[in-house]
Amino acid sequence: MKCRIMHESPGRMRIHAVQSRMTPAQADILEYYLRDLPFVREARVYDRTGDAVIRYGGTEAGITDAGAERCREELMAALGRFSYEDEHARALVPEHTGRGLERKYEEKLVFTVIGRGLRRLLFPAPLRAVWAVFRSVRFIARGLSALRRGKLDASVLDAAAVVASLLRGDFATAASVMFLLDVGELLEEWTHRKSVDDLARSLSLGIDRVWLLTEAGEVLTDVRDVCEGDRICVRTSHVIPLDGRVAGGSATVNQSSMTGESVPVPKTEGGYVYAGTVVEEGEIVVSVTKKTGSGKYDQIVRMIEETEKLKSGAETDAFRLADRLTPWSLFGAAAAWLLTRNVNRVLSFLMVDFSCALKLSMPLAVLSAIREARSRGITVKGGRFLETAAAADTIVFDKTGTLTHATPCVVRIDTFGGRSETEMLRTAACLEEHYPHSIANAVVEAARKRGIIHKEMHSEVQYVVAHGIVSAIGGKRALIGSRHFVFEDEHCSVPQGEEERLAALPEEFSQLYLAIDGELAAVLHIFDPLRAEAAEVIGELRRLGIRRAAMMTGDNFRTAAVIARSLCIDEFRAEVLPEDKAAFIRAEHAKGRRVIMIGDGVNDAPALSEADCGIAVSAGAAIAREIADITITADSLRELVLLRRLSMELMRRIHRNYRFIISFNAGLIFLGALGVLPPAASALLHNTATVVTGMRSMTNLIHDESGRKN
């Protein structure tokens, strides 16, 4: 690609593509190509100007000047190699990016405004009158349709205002009213489409690799290399990456993201599964029927549009209030006519309505909050979850991977029965590599650091949620999991004479027990460091109105007690099962509390579903992210404080909008009824206030992480 450097500073470059015109599709290809470069931290392409702003290397990324210069040289080489026809670059672009949608509605809005201006400048008055009458047909038909259905809504009020203006011969006022209604409808449609588009893209899978079944066994493969007819293996807690039919095995699948079903659905051979759903329990082989990117976005869009998941309670209340106020406006207009026989006073009721401002500003406020949250590393799946986050008074934390870091490490391995430490770590890693939980990742990483190769040497693995893994190695039953699972559920024994060694093991670490053929083989000690910001975050949440903080963990009581004391947790439960976490939240509900649950693992899924607002840490299990209402993508709990502040500011904005819209429009109606304001002035002030309220609703709620507002 030919390009010209427009501006450059250390670690930042602005370039201009030397071409006549850049399409939205080309801008997407270039942007995702640049983002994929390992030394590029951030890239943004502007299709209208053909410019791209690129941040790379530099001192901000901890790179020396010499390293930054190498990054610059590599960037220039990458730009020189780039082509819009490059298949690799095109494959990086998601199915939908939102750029095309933005362009479509920007152009619609511009053409609407320009068309209005040209008609006023170029059309003579008689032609403008004919145009106003022609345009009025759509509004009048819509009002009559509502009346036929027995509804008195905003469309009836709009039609009445247009008809009243036309009957008075005031074609300019009628045209102005219809123009502002068109703009309002366009903004409302844009808001809705953008909300759905943002949410659909936030639910995209983000799966890079899958277990592909080949003649040589299971092979970890790039999902983009999977073709129709290939077979992939999907196990407990994994997201199904591609549509297909079950070719083997059985599992229960959570399909709520696609079908809205709240209960997991059993899937056996011959059943159909959808991309984006999650295997809650079991293991299946899927014969792929659709390659990656084929139709998932449209399926999600249909699912969102068929539910009320997106709307907050405040939005729904605003829409209902707007419709309830319409009959009163019509009643006021009728009363004004009966009492005064003055058309201007009648129009004062018809020209000013509450519907437009309420139905425009509330969705814009919620959409803006969701957008702002996403820009700060928080993905929200619907406005009502922000409302819940603002109203909650109780917060429940999972421990591992949530209050502690999601990257624990193996710090010690004790073997039993004379077994080799290397072989035991090899066996543990071989079993754990199939389950992407923080503890499993720690075991696999420990083997990698020691240079231990752990090829598949076991039979089918079975994951027992919140307990451990069962398989067979060399014809012997192999188990890895909690102490309760190994000794109490599976009744494994300790090698003779080594009971005291087991009893003397340190208790300050989390422990993973490996048993082979019914006998304890090794204990892996996991160091799970507490997040440095955890205490500060909990304290800040209390200052923001959270009255009660609790912690749930499957870890041992002693470890949990130490963490609870250090964080001033009000209540904690240790050695709990998934159903125990959900039961605790149900008990909190019974006490009249509104609960936020934060977790990252498979065993947190029931509690996340049970909570009023479930929040998942993005580094955790796929099923947790799938079921959760909100996902924190940053590796910090400080985003919880940010979320709480943002949601509270959203509710304050909504209530301010309510008060302003009701009081301002009521004042306009009152002044118009007294004859102080003519109808045209009332309409102008009403529509100006509507636009101003809508624009204000689109501004950021908070300025920075300290919580200062704009």
Side-chain angles (χ1 to χ4, degrees):
M1 181 183 78
K2 292 183 178 180
C3 61
R4 183 169 60 249
I5 297 176
M6 306 296 293
H7 179 266
E8 187 172 8
S9 58
R12 183 183 184 277
M13 183 185 296
R14 186 182 189 96
I15 65 168
H16 176 75
V18 181
Q19 58 188 84
S20 58
R21 178 176 174 270
M22 180 180 287
T23 66
Q26 289 176 332
D28 281 333
I29 295 169
L30 177 57
E31 184 169 305
Y32 281 89
Y33 170 80
L34 291 170
R35 289 181 182 179
D36 190 57
L37 298 174
F39 47 84
V40 171
R41 302 200 312 276
E42 182 183 348
R44 185 64 187 265
V45 178
Y46 302 91
D47 53 281
R48 291 189 181 278
T49 61
D51 291 353
V53 176
I54 309 162
R55 296 182 185 275
Y56 62 93
T59 54
E60 292 180 23
I63 299 176
T64 63
D65 291 341
E69 183 59 32
R70 283 196 301 272
C71 287
R72 183 187 184 281
E73 292 173 1
E74 291 179 13
L75 174 60
M76 298 308 297
L79 287 169
R81 292 192 304 268
F82 173 75
S83 168
Y84 294 120
E85 305 304 319
D86 180 23
E87 289 299 325
H88 173 72
R90 297 172 72 89
L92 295 172
V93 182
E95 189 175 359
H96 288 260
T97 65
R99 192 188 296 269
L101 182 71
E102 292 290 323
R103 171 70 72 90
K104 174 184 175 182
Y105 281 96
E106 284 174 2
E107 291 178 349
K108 277 187 176 182
L109 185 60
V110 168
F111 290 151
T112 300
V113 173
I114 290 176
R116 164 76 171 165
L118 290 176
R119 284 191 296 274
R120 295 193 65 179
L121 287 173
L122 304 178
F123 283 19
L127 189 54
R128 289 202 300 270
V130 171
W131 177 257
V133 173
F134 173 74
R135 293 276 292 114
S136 70
V137 173
R138 178 165 63 91
F139 295 94
I140 295 171
R142 194 182 297 169
L144 292 174
S145 176
L147 290 174
R148 282 197 300 271
R149 297 193 307 272
K151 294 180 65 177
L152 282 177
D153 57 20
S155 63
V156 177
L157 200 62
D158 296 339
V162 171
V163 169
S165 297
L166 293 177
L167 290 177
R168 293 179 67 231
D170 191 350
F171 298 106
T173 299
S176 297
V177 169
M178 289 185 287
F179 166 71
L180 289 167
L181 288 173
D182 281 339
V183 171
E185 288 175 6
L186 181 60
L187 289 174
E188 186 176 337
E189 181 185 349
W190 189 356
T191 297
H192 172 72
R193 289 291 303 277
K194 181 170 172 52
S195 299
V196 172
D197 182 71
D198 284 348
L199 181 52
R201 283 186 286 115
S202 74
L203 291 174
S204 61
L205 298 182
I207 297 173
D208 297 322
R209 299 187 296 174
V210 296
W211 287 100
L212 178 68
L213 290 182
T214 66
E215 293 180 359
E218 293 183 21
V219 178
L220 204 55
T221 305
D222 192 308
V223 69
R224 289 173 294 188
D225 295 333
V226 177
C227 301
E228 293 181 15
D230 285 346
R231 295 192 304 161
I232 58 176
C233 187
V234 189
R235 297 184 173 88
T236 300
S237 88
H238 283 199
V239 174
I240 297 173
L242 303 162
D243 289 1
R245 291 200 177 276
V246 178
S250 63
T252 55
V253 178
N254 187 314
Q255 299 188 153
S256 59
S257 66
M258 301 304 297
T259 65
E261 296 168 281
S262 59
V263 179
V265 179
K267 295 289 184 180
T268 56
E269 190 168 345
Y272 199 84
V273 291
Y274 301 96
T277 57
V278 181
V279 175
E280 285 206 350
E281 190 170 2
E283 178 180 327
I284 53 176
V285 174
V286 178
S287 178
V288 176
T289 58
K290 288 185 179 179
K291 292 185 64 175
T292 181
S294 301
K296 174 175 167 54
Y297 172 89
D298 295 324
Q299 293 170 9
I300 293 177
V301 167
R302 285 196 296 272
M303 180 273 294
I304 295 170
E305 289 178 339
E306 289 169 2
T307 69
E308 290 299 310
K309 188 176 185 180
L310 186 63
K311 289 185 180 179
S312 67
E315 285 179 273
T316 304
D317 291 343
F319 278 51
R320 289 173 180 168
L321 176 61
D323 288 337
R324 284 201 302 269
L325 289 173
T326 299
W328 290 102
S329 295
L330 292 170
F331 175 78
W337 172 251
L338 291 174
L339 293 174
T340 67
R341 300 292 175 174
N342 187 314
V343 176
N344 282 341
R345 299 192 180 190
V346 172
L347 285 175
S348 68
F349 284 92
L350 299 179
M351 291 294 189
V352 180
D353 72 87
F354 301 91
S355 176
C356 186
L358 287 172
K359 289 186 175 181
L360 181 64
S361 63
M362 299 309 177
L364 283 175
V366 173
L367 169 65
S368 177
I370 293 175
R371 172 195 53 77
E372 186 175 351
R374 287 188 65 201
S375 71
R376 295 174 180 270
I378 304 168
T379 299
V380 183
K381 295 182 181 178
R384 68 185 178 93
F385 303 125
L386 284 174
E387 188 173 17
T388 303
D393 54 13
T394 300
I395 188 164
V396 179
F397 292 92
D398 169 54
K399 180 185 78 69
T400 304
T402 305
L403 287 174
T404 59
H405 280 285
T407 54
C409 56
V410 177
V411 294
R412 172 175 167 178
I413 301 174
D414 286 286
T415 62
F416 293 79
R419 293 175 172 87
S420 162
E421 182 176 318
T422 297
E423 286 305 312
M424 292 304 95
L425 181 55
R426 188 194 313 277
T427 301
C430 184
L431 293 170
E432 292 282 12
E433 69 175 342
H434 295 280
Y435 298 95
H437 187 265
S438 56
I439 299 295
N441 292 340
V443 175
V444 174
E445 180 63 15
R448 188 193 68 79
K449 285 182 177 179
R450 296 193 188 191
I452 297 173
I453 299 173
H454 46 91
K455 295 180 180 179
E456 298 289 352
M457 54 184 178
H458 54 71
S459 62
E460 178 181 350
V461 291
Q462 177 187 357
Y463 181 62
V464 183
V465 177
H467 286 77
I469 297 170
V470 181
S471 187
I473 296 177
K476 296 180 180 180
R477 184 174 171 82
L479 313 169
I480 188 167
S482 66
R483 183 186 185 104
H484 175 87
F485 174 57
V486 170
F487 291 116
E488 297 182 28
D489 291 351
E490 296 294 332
H491 307 291
C492 295
S493 62
V494 181
Q496 189 173 359
E498 298 192 74
E499 292 84 0
E500 291 185 5
R501 277 191 63 215
L502 178 63
L505 293 179
E507 296 183 5
E508 61 266 27
F509 302 123
S510 298
Q511 289 157 338
L512 200 60
Y513 295 81
L514 173 65
I516 297 176
D517 203 22
E519 184 179 80
L520 179 66
V523 177
L524 287 75
H525 301 269
I526 312 293
F527 178 58
D528 203 15
L530 191 66
R531 291 181 183 269
E533 75 276 9
E536 179 187 346
V537 166
I538 291 175
E540 188 66 24
L541 288 172
R542 291 186 189 278
R543 287 189 286 275
L544 290 171
I546 295 293
R547 295 196 293 269
R548 184 172 161 77
M551 182 181 75
M552 302 281 107
T553 178
D555 211 339
N556 65 74
F557 182 88
R558 181 172 174 175
T559 301
V562 170
I563 291 177
R565 283 196 300 271
S566 65
L567 297 179
C568 299
I569 296 287
D570 298 302
E571 182 177 354
F572 74 92
R573 303 284 174 85
E575 301 178 10
V576 296
L577 298 174
E579 54 268 28
D580 298 327
K581 295 183 181 183
F584 178 82
I585 292 175
R586 282 194 293 271
E588 294 296 294
H589 284 158
K591 297 173 185 175
R593 296 177 178 134
R594 302 190 74 175
V595 183
I596 296 173
M597 170 69 195
I598 304 158
D600 77 320
V602 177
N603 56 342
D604 299 318
L608 290 170
S609 294
E610 188 68 38
D612 297 286
C613 179
I615 302 176
V617 179
S618 64
I623 191 171
R625 300 194 302 272
E626 180 70 23
I627 290 174
D629 309 312
I630 298 173
T631 300
I632 296 174
T633 57
D635 187 27
S636 171
L637 292 178
R638 290 192 175 90
E639 274 62 34
L640 292 175
V641 177
L642 194 62
L643 172 65
R644 177 75 171 186
R645 286 176 173 157
L646 190 145
S647 59
M648 293 174 73
E649 287 297 331
L650 170 63
M651 298 314 298
R652 291 191 187 103
R653 173 173 287 178
I654 286 174
H655 293 143
R656 283 197 301 269
N657 284 350
Y658 265 123
R659 292 193 295 270
F660 174 75
I661 291 167
I662 298 298
S663 59
F664 185 81
N665 287 343
L668 291 180
I669 290 174
F670 179 72
L671 293 174
L674 293 178
V676 175
L677 283 178
S682 295
L684 178 62
L685 289 172
H686 158 67
N687 288 306
T688 300
T690 297
V691 173
V692 169
T693 305
M695 295 297 290
R696 176 60 184 167
S697 295
M698 295 177 70
T699 59
N700 282 352
L701 289 159
I702 55 179
H703 180 67
D704 56 25
E705 292 189 5
S706 68
R708 276 190 294 115
K709 288 188 289 182
N710 258 354

